[in-house]
Amino acid sequence: MNTTNTIISVLSDKNIIGVMSSSISIMILGFYLGKSNKLKSSFSIPLGEIILTISIPALSFNAFMKDFDKNFVNGINILIWSFLIHLFLMAIGNIFYKNLDLEKQLTLKIMSVFGGITVFGIPIAQALYGDLGVIYSSIFSIPYRVLLYSYGFIKMSSIKMDKKNLKSMFLNPVILATFIGLFIWVFQEYLPQVSISGQKFPILRIDKTAFWIYKPLAFLAGLCSPLAWLAAGLKLSELPIKESLKNSIAWQFSIIKTLLIPFLVLIIILGANFFGILQLSSVSLGVITIMMATPTASVVIAYSLKYNKEPLITSSCSLLSTIFSLITIPILIAFLQIFKF
């Protein structure tokens, strides 16, 4: 497939365009509702509360309600790379924002490390690589989810790692749901089994054994992204839209998140491949590059709104990085195709 056809196929895919246009249009709706005083911009705070205490726990738990696919063994290098990439960016992320104060550095680093994999990355990977893209992106998202709902939450909420806070931290709905879901996914073959239509499933696989519980959770999980985008738009309404789009920090972040970081990750992995270290196929390399090029995660926006961590900046960054990704993701995919990575 040549460069032009690659870009056209990406830009014409309904799933990709649907996700991108939805995020931008819902943020604009929130902006309009706030500017017209139909909703107060302060309503973004209770929206953030709903997302963090109900929607994100449902999302993180339900994400693990799937078979422990044998392809996981073949994708072990993707799993390792995901851990290494996220830990590496967590360690060096402040370097990208040295020109800003420490509070802004922390918030922007978290936004840079954790992209919108669930909402943006997986649909794009599926559109480009089919089922294999979904499998590889799902494997890549395991460390991402664990770190986003633990490290990301701890840093954005400013909870200190002391004995007083350890109990409340681990009993937080987001972290609790993540680790329970991860446990069920990994150890499902060893859990008590029930027979359904001639097939055996672990009793805790509620998508199979208790659909009456799974489906409400799925609806609640589906609220995460639209409510986060709506809340971000409401927060943006406190500023003129031109000011949001001209925000120099948002431009700095968007360039780093959608171009610099994915190219940096690509170069590191290609270097490792050259020396025979944790080698990846072209498809898995493409999936990881796409995952790292996505605009910031809606979960991070929710953290920012809930804990007042630079909410105006995160809202501006979310809007602008989404617009950027409409251009940068097709460019990155075409780059991979041209050089046959």
Side-chain angles (χ1 to χ4, degrees), residues 228-341:
W229 295 329
L230 188 66
L234 283 171
K235 199 65 186 176
L236 278 174
S237 69
E238 296 177 7
L239 294 172
I241 189 68
K242 289 183 179 179
E243 188 174 330
S244 299
L245 293 175
K246 290 180 179 179
N247 188 312
S248 60
I249 295 175
W251 278 84
Q252 179 183 349
F253 167 80
S254 298
I255 292 169
I256 289 169
K257 179 70 186 79
T258 64
L259 270 179
L260 180 60
I261 287 178
F263 270 115
L264 176 63
V265 169
L266 179 61
I267 291 168
I268 292 172
I269 294 176
L270 288 174
N273 272 6
F274 179 79
F275 291 104
I277 303 170
L278 296 173
Q279 290 185 307
L280 295 173
S281 67
S282 59
V283 173
S284 53
L285 180 59
V287 167
I288 290 177
T289 304
I290 291 167
M291 298 297 109
M292 299 312 300
T294 54
T296 193
S298 55
V299 174
V300 179
I301 302 171
Y303 287 158
S304 171
L305 294 169
K306 163 70 175 176
Y307 300 110
N308 198 32
K309 292 285 188 178
E310 308 293 341
L312 288 173
I313 289 177
T314 57
S315 297
S316 296
C317 288
S318 176
L319 176 61
L320 197 59
S321 64
T322 301
I323 295 171
F324 261 60
S325 64
L326 286 168
I327 302 168
T328 56
I329 289 179
I331 290 173
L332 285 164
I333 294 167
F335 180 81
L336 292 170
Q337 293 286 341
I338 293 168
F339 293 97
K340 305 298 181 184
F341 291 139

Side-chain angles (χ1 to χ4, degrees), residues 3 66 104 126 182 195 197 213 237 281 285-286 297 317 325 335:
T3 307
K66 58 183 66 175
K104 289 183 177 67
Q126 182 181 32
L182 180 63
S195 182
S197 301
I213 298 176
S237 69
S281 67
L285 180 59
C317 288
S325 64
F335 180 81

Side-chain angles (χ1 to χ4, degrees), residues 37-231:
N37 291 319
K38 296 184 185 299
L39 284 177
K40 290 185 177 180
S41 62
S42 59
F43 190 61
S44 63
I45 297 173
L47 277 181
E49 186 75 34
I50 292 170
I51 296 165
L52 275 177
T53 57
I54 300 174
S55 187
I56 293 177
L59 174 68
S60 58
F61 179 80
N62 272 14
F64 292 103
M65 293 297 105
K66 58 183 66 175
D67 294 337
F68 189 82
D69 201 291
K70 300 304 179 183
N71 278 299
F72 175 81
V73 177
N74 298 323
I76 192 68
N77 282 357
I78 297 176
L79 186 74
I80 295 171
W81 269 116
S82 181
F83 266 116
L84 292 177
I85 290 167
H86 287 99
L87 292 174
F88 173 68
L89 291 175
M90 284 157 51
I92 69 152
N94 292 63
I95 295 174
F96 300 128
Y97 307 103
K98 277 293 184 182
N99 58 312
L100 304 172
D101 62 60
L102 292 177
E103 186 78 5
K104 289 183 177 67
Q105 282 184 35
L106 172 63
T107 301
L108 290 166
K109 179 179 78 170
I110 299 298
M111 292 176 71
S112 299
V113 174
F114 301 107
I117 285 179
T118 304
V119 178
F120 293 94
I122 294 177
I124 293 173
Q126 182 181 32
L128 290 171
Y129 304 114
D131 291 340
L132 194 58
V134 175
I135 292 169
Y136 285 169
S137 55
S138 297
I139 293 170
F140 183 83
S141 71
I142 295 167
Y144 161 91
R145 293 184 196 284
V146 172
L147 293 171
L148 172 61
Y149 300 130
S150 55
Y151 172 84
F153 169 76
I154 292 165
K155 288 296 184 181
M156 293 295 280
S157 64
S158 299
I159 290 179
K160 294 181 179 179
M161 293 290 286
D162 54 29
K163 291 182 179 179
K164 182 181 178 181
N165 290 324
L166 278 176
K167 182 178 179 180
S168 61
M169 183 184 75
F170 284 107
L171 291 179
N172 174 272
V174 174
I175 293 177
L176 202 60
T178 300
F179 282 98
I180 292 173
L182 180 63
F183 174 83
I184 294 171
W185 186 74
V186 172
F187 296 104
Q188 58 186 285
E189 289 186 12
Y190 308 99
L191 295 172
Q193 306 286 308
V194 296
S195 182
I196 301 175
S197 301
Q199 284 185 288
K200 288 188 176 180
F201 296 98
I203 195 169
L204 296 180
R205 275 286 301 276
I206 61 170
D207 60 318
K208 303 294 183 183
T209 62
F211 203 72
W212 55 278
I213 298 176
Y214 174 80
K215 198 61 180 177
L217 288 178
F219 279 117
L220 290 172
L223 292 175
C224 179
S225 293
L227 287 184
W229 295 329
L230 188 66

Side-chain angles (χ1 to χ4, degrees), residues 1-9 333-334 337-338 340:
M1 183 181 292
N2 61 39
T3 307
T4 304
N5 288 340
T6 300
I7 294 175
I8 290 173
S9 68
I333 294 167
Q337 293 286 341
I338 293 168
K340 305 298 181 184

